[in-house]
Amino acid sequence: MSSKMIFINLPVADLDRSKNFYEALGWKVNQDFTDENAACIVVDDNICLMLLTRDFFPTFSKRPLGDTVSTIGAAYALALSSAEEVDTLTAAALAAGAIEEVNEDKRAQEAQVGMHGRTFIDPDGHQWEPFWMDYPGH
């Protein structure tokens, strides 16, 4: 059986700042796929981020690049193994320059179904939602 991988392409304003941010979360830079236009960030064996400079990103599409700082086009939910891991990752992100977005209504809904989640916005405006869910068989 073959495994699947996902590569999330993210436009960034300052490639070095973004690499440093994600390294502060404990994720690694794969130098084999990193140059002055892009950096590959390894989240785990099956998830990688491709950080692409705002000048290079448009070479992947004919559609114009949107403003990720003041608008949202996507939210990246990342399932983790514990509520503590969610809090640890979020704390590292905040220490590295992220902004936490708190939605008490969403937190209350999550608590009702046995979830613990947090939301942070990275320095380029990308929204991350690490979460842990207590579900049978997990």
Side-chain angles (χ1 to χ4, degrees), residues 66-86:
D67 173 15
T68 58
V69 175
S70 61
T71 62
I72 184 169
Y76 308 103
L78 182 63
L80 299 174
S81 60
S82 69
E84 294 78 22
E85 191 176 356
V86 169

Side-chain angles (χ1 to χ4, degrees), residues 81-103:
S81 60
S82 69
E84 294 78 22
E85 191 176 356
V86 169
D87 292 338
T88 299
L89 180 67
T90 302
L94 297 176
I99 297 168
E100 186 167 22
E101 184 172 280
V102 178
N103 181 333

Side-chain angles (χ1 to χ4, degrees), residues 1-134:
M1 182 185 329
S2 67
S3 67
K4 306 252 188 294
M5 289 185 71
I6 186 166
F7 289 81
I8 302 171
N9 297 310
L10 299 174
V12 299
D14 181 329
L15 189 58
D16 287 331
R17 177 191 70 187
S18 296
K19 286 192 300 189
N20 291 336
F21 174 80
Y22 287 108
E23 284 182 306
L25 302 187
W27 301 346
K28 305 293 182 209
V29 175
N30 180 335
Q31 294 297 338
D32 292 336
F33 299 102
T34 298
D35 62 20
E36 68 279 355
N37 292 312
C40 179
I41 304 296
V42 179
V43 178
D44 77 3
D45 290 342
N46 295 310
I47 304 169
C48 294
L49 309 178
M50 289 303 299
L51 307 178
L52 307 170
T53 64
R54 290 188 66 81
D55 290 335
F56 187 58
F57 191 92
T59 65
F60 290 84
S61 177
K62 293 182 180 183
R63 298 185 310 158
L65 180 58
D67 173 15
T68 58
V69 175
S70 61
T71 62
I72 184 169
Y76 308 103
L78 182 63
L80 299 174
S81 60
S82 69
E84 294 78 22
E85 191 176 356
V86 169
D87 292 338
T88 299
L89 180 67
T90 302
L94 297 176
I99 297 168
E100 186 167 22
E101 184 172 280
V102 178
N103 181 333
E104 293 300 335
D105 292 335
K106 181 179 174 211
R107 281 190 179 173
Q109 290 171 348
E110 289 174 345
Q112 288 178 348
V113 296
M115 286 181 70
H116 173 73
R118 305 274 297 271
T119 300
F120 63 85
I121 312 300
D122 78 7
D124 289 288
H126 304 293
Q127 183 166 319
W128 288 91
E129 298 183 352
F131 73 95
W132 168 80
M133 184 182 336
D134 185 18

